[in-house]
Amino acid sequence: MPLIVVTTSPRVAPGLLSHQAWQALRSGPVLTASGSHPQLPYLAEAGIEVEVVEPDPRALAVRAVGETVVWLPDQDGEDFMRAVGHAAVALDEPPLIEVVPGSYDLPGARVLDLVAVMDRLRTECPWDRKQTHETLVPYLLEEAYEVLETIEQGDYPALREELGDLLLQVVFHARVAEGFDMDDVAAGIVEKLVRRHPHVFGSVRAESADEVNDNWEAIKAAERAAKGRESVLDGVPMGQPALSLAAQLMRRAGRAGAPESLSAAVGQGVARELFDLVRRAAEAGLDAEAELRAAARSYRERVRAWESTTD
């Protein structure tokens, strides 16, 4: 006789089980070790009686030798199920153990865990509770720069952790907000991506990256007009680093057909020279911000090498 283990995900609403799981739950007595298992009310509503028992691996394995038994593990039941497997193997006639996924995580499901953890921190942690959008700004910038650094260094194992730190800042701000939440944030970006990719989600054809970019800019222009924005430069974040700011302003203006002469002789002294360098870098297909950062990293290594010779 088999021991059927019906697994469920805490990230899927209780009661939303697969057809195979419902069939398994009706194939024999259903046991669980948790009287607070989230599935119990829904199984009771479906007429399925669940017996709450003491978690005894050998007793469960022995019972499954004589009859079909369904086990409903809780979320911390991995060690118990491993013990059941060892107990079953030790029997002269071990039962067949079959795992039936009642529900399982879809991609992105662990973000729900992060939202839940952030909600608890915001409620129970004195430091998290007192934060505002304004006090969190330095951490948002710091985490973004740490992501940039791991990419520049090619340290992709570290990139996973740094992206998590950056994602925390997004979830944190969404939790602090009073007029929206994380679902609204996600819904907004989903709507924007679908709207700006009509070649994927609509009937528009785009055979090349350049065509995709042209469509993107046309859609953004229509969005600006709908919002009452008149300038192609509206929406450019002026708080970003100066070199990337200058490059983005020139790039936006160029796409709108602004004459190149507007970017000549801007500012005075060093500012004029820097602005001209950004323009020349763009003409050469280079990112002035990235180029200067690379030079700064090179300088850092030279200083470190010099320090090692002076110790």
Side-chain angles (χ1 to χ4, degrees):
M1 295 293 179
L3 169 61
I4 304 176
V5 181
V6 178
T7 61
T8 58
S9 168
R11 302 169 196 92
V12 176
L16 296 180
L17 301 176
S18 66
H19 177 67
Q20 185 182 13
W22 283 113
Q23 286 184 315
L25 288 165
R26 292 186 170 92
S27 63
V30 181
L31 312 178
T32 186
S34 174
S36 61
H37 197 293
Q39 298 291 345
L40 296 189
Y42 299 91
L43 298 185
E45 184 179 353
I48 298 175
E49 182 179 349
V50 180
E51 180 183 359
V52 180
V53 299
E54 289 295 324
D56 186 332
R58 188 178 186 282
L60 181 61
V62 169
R63 183 170 178 177
V65 172
E67 63 177 331
T68 297
V69 179
V70 181
W71 180 257
L72 191 63
D74 57 26
Q75 302 309 320
D76 300 321
E78 184 175 344
D79 291 340
F80 176 75
M81 292 313 305
R82 189 178 294 111
V84 171
H86 291 315
V89 171
L91 298 176
D92 293 335
E93 297 182 9
L96 173 67
I97 299 179
E98 178 184 357
V99 177
V100 175
S103 59
Y104 49 89
D105 293 343
L106 295 175
R110 295 307 297 268
V111 176
L112 297 175
D113 291 347
L114 177 56
V115 172
V117 168
M118 187 67 252
D119 188 60
R120 184 170 179 180
L121 291 175
R122 184 67 172 170
T123 303
E124 301 180 20
C125 174
W127 187 88
D128 290 278
R129 191 165 53 238
K130 76 174 187 177
Q131 299 310 307
T132 67
H133 293 301
E134 291 72 20
T135 62
L136 290 173
V137 166
Y139 305 105
L140 176 63
L141 295 175
E142 178 182 345
E143 300 302 349
Y145 280 123
E146 288 183 0
V147 169
L148 174 60
E149 184 173 8
T150 59
I151 294 174
E152 290 178 340
Q153 294 175 346
D155 190 356
Y156 296 116
L159 177 61
R160 172 186 173 182
E161 179 179 353
E162 298 303 339
L163 285 173
D165 292 341
L166 183 58
L167 178 59
L168 169 60
Q169 295 304 309
V170 175
V171 175
F172 206 152
H173 278 278
R175 180 61 180 80
V176 170
E178 296 182 358
F180 58 87
D181 59 17
M182 191 61 197
D183 284 331
D184 296 316
V185 172
I189 189 60
V190 167
E191 291 172 2
K192 180 183 292 186
L193 289 174
V194 171
R195 185 172 64 250
R196 292 186 180 180
H197 289 79
H199 55 288
V200 176
F201 301 100
S203 58
V204 174
R205 294 182 61 84
E207 304 296 339
S208 68
D210 288 338
E211 288 181 281
V212 171
N213 190 65
D214 290 342
N215 288 339
W216 182 281
E217 292 302 324
I219 294 169
K220 286 179 64 177
E223 291 173 353
R224 285 195 299 271
K227 293 178 180 178
R229 295 178 177 177
E230 298 180 356
S231 173
V232 68
L233 302 182
D234 288 343
V236 173
M238 299 299 290
Q240 63 182 300
L243 292 181
S244 59
L245 171 61
Q248 186 176 5
L249 289 172
M250 282 188 274
R251 186 166 58 250
R252 285 274 196 100
R255 288 172 181 169
E260 293 185 6
S261 59
L262 295 179
S263 63
V266 174
Q268 296 180 347
V270 174
R272 176 180 295 187
E273 295 176 18
L274 288 172
F275 201 89
D276 186 58
L277 284 173
V278 173
R279 179 181 57 79
R280 288 162 51 191
E283 291 174 351
L286 301 174
D287 182 336
E289 182 75 23
E291 294 297 313
L292 184 57
R293 288 179 60 83
R297 289 196 302 274
S298 178
Y299 176 69
R300 179 186 61 182
E301 295 308 314
R302 288 188 178 189
V303 171
R304 287 178 173 174
W306 170 78
E307 287 176 329
S308 66
T309 64
T310 58
D311 291 339

